[in-house]
Amino acid sequence: EDQTPNVRLKQIILDVRAEVEAGQPLSRAMGKYPRIFDNLFIGLVRAGEVGGVLEETLQRLSGFLEKDVELRRKVKSAMTYPVIVICVALGIVIGLVTFILPRFMQLFKDLGVKDFPMMTQMLMDFSHFLTSRWYIMIAILAALYISFKLFTRTKIGRRLYDLFKLKAPVFGKLNHKICLARFSRTLGTLMASGVPILQAMETVAGTVANEIISDAVLAARARIREGDRIGDPLQKSKMFPPMVVQMISIGEESGALDQMLAKIADFYE
């Protein structure tokens, strides 16, 4: 609490400390703040409390969070160059349409040219619209952005958007690898901390950040509860590559599932 510079977090830690002093378990005290301490955090702390190895689970949790931050940093750095290229390209196109094209339009008008090909006419109309009614364009873009945000908050919209993120050219494969890395790292951390497999799968489904893969994990959890092996339902979902399924199966047979999951996470990261 004394070392925390964030005022909001300092107040939360103070409240958690007060709850623990009053006799509440640490996991339950943290559970009051789901925006700060997610399901993975609470699940690992609870497992550490039950097993009497809280310091070990907190060490694993810190390692997991550091890996997650490192993965996000890698993705952001990889995305920096294409984002800059796209922004520069859009800026050049907008500059051509708003400043250069009107001069050509005036030149054609002075020359008495009236009939243009359809694509040329469409480009000229767009240029005129952008220069004379730019505020309508801004309003349209704002309305599209708000509509997209509202749509992705619905269950159907979120599923369609998550499916698009997995199927999109170039970025779909990248996003799929991110989800697989997070699935493996989270499940491996939970298993190594002694969390039961069914509870671990449920926690992973809530932290994988993709509805399609989350549904596949929950379906696999249901099959495991019926007595199936871990790898078989994951293979049937078509969301997990053969290498992932085979390494999980080997880990399950050899009793080293958490180590295999860590290797999968390292590979995809």
Side-chain angles (χ1 to χ4, degrees):
E1 177 193 342
D2 291 337
Q3 295 176 2
T4 304
N6 187 287
V7 178
R8 169 67 175 157
L9 186 58
K10 184 186 291 287
Q11 186 61 41
I12 290 172
I13 295 173
L14 176 65
D15 185 58
V16 168
R17 191 187 73 178
E19 291 282 338
V20 173
E21 288 175 345
Q24 292 285 355
L26 179 61
S27 57
R28 184 175 297 177
M30 289 178 168
K32 292 175 59 180
Y33 302 98
R35 291 180 178 271
I36 305 299
F37 308 106
D38 59 16
N39 292 334
L40 172 67
F41 208 112
I42 302 301
L44 283 173
V45 171
R46 186 181 296 116
E49 289 173 334
V50 172
V53 288
L54 184 57
E55 71 281 1
E56 292 182 17
T57 55
L58 287 172
Q59 286 284 0
R60 290 195 182 99
L61 181 60
S62 66
F64 170 83
L65 294 174
E66 288 165 4
K67 287 282 187 180
D68 194 55
V69 169
E70 183 181 356
L71 178 61
R72 291 174 183 270
R73 181 186 58 78
K74 287 180 180 178
V75 172
K76 286 180 180 178
S77 63
M79 293 287 290
T80 300
Y81 178 72
V83 168
I84 291 175
V85 170
I86 290 172
C87 290
V88 171
L90 286 174
I92 292 173
V93 171
I94 291 174
L96 289 172
V97 171
T98 54
F99 298 106
I100 306 301
L101 189 59
R103 295 180 181 273
F104 280 95
M105 291 167 59
Q106 184 62 42
L107 176 64
F108 292 146
K109 186 177 180 180
D110 294 340
L111 292 174
V113 179
K114 296 182 179 180
D115 296 327
F116 298 98
M118 183 179 67
M119 291 298 295
T120 305
Q121 187 62 50
M122 289 174 60
L123 187 61
M124 293 170 64
D125 292 340
F126 177 70
S127 173
H128 178 72
F129 176 77
L130 200 62
T131 53
S132 62
R133 299 182 179 181
W134 54 269
Y135 51 90
I136 297 179
M137 178 64 71
I138 293 176
I140 291 172
L141 292 175
L144 288 173
Y145 177 77
I146 294 171
S147 301
F148 172 75
K149 285 293 184 181
L150 293 174
F151 178 67
T152 52
R153 287 181 183 177
T154 64
K155 186 172 181 62
I156 296 176
R158 189 164 57 249
R159 284 184 61 83
L160 289 175
Y161 181 53
D162 285 343
L163 181 61
F164 170 76
K165 287 193 294 184
L166 293 175
K167 300 296 184 181
V170 182
F171 298 107
K173 291 182 179 180
L174 176 64
N175 194 61
H176 194 192
K177 290 176 181 178
I178 293 169
C179 292
L180 291 174
R182 180 167 293 175
F183 163 82
S184 303
R185 182 72 65 191
T186 308
L187 185 58
T189 303
L190 289 166
M191 296 291 291
S193 301
V195 178
I197 180 64
L198 294 178
Q199 182 182 337
M201 295 286 280
E202 185 178 5
T203 302
V204 169
T207 57
V208 78
N210 188 287
E211 287 285 321
I212 307 301
I213 294 182
S214 177
D215 287 348
V217 172
L218 288 176
R221 177 182 180 273
R223 298 304 308 163
I224 293 168
R225 188 171 53 192
E226 297 295 326
D228 282 6
R229 300 166 63 85
I230 299 174
D232 296 338
L234 293 179
Q235 185 178 21
K236 291 177 181 177
S237 69
K238 307 296 185 182
M239 287 289 108
F240 297 87
M243 188 271 287
V244 174
V245 175
Q246 289 165 9
M247 289 190 71
I248 287 176
S249 299
I250 293 169
E252 189 178 12
E253 291 175 3
S254 61
L257 182 57
D258 55 334
Q259 298 174 22
M260 285 297 183
L261 287 166
K263 289 181 182 296
I264 294 170
D266 290 337
F267 174 79
Y268 280 107
E269 287 168 2

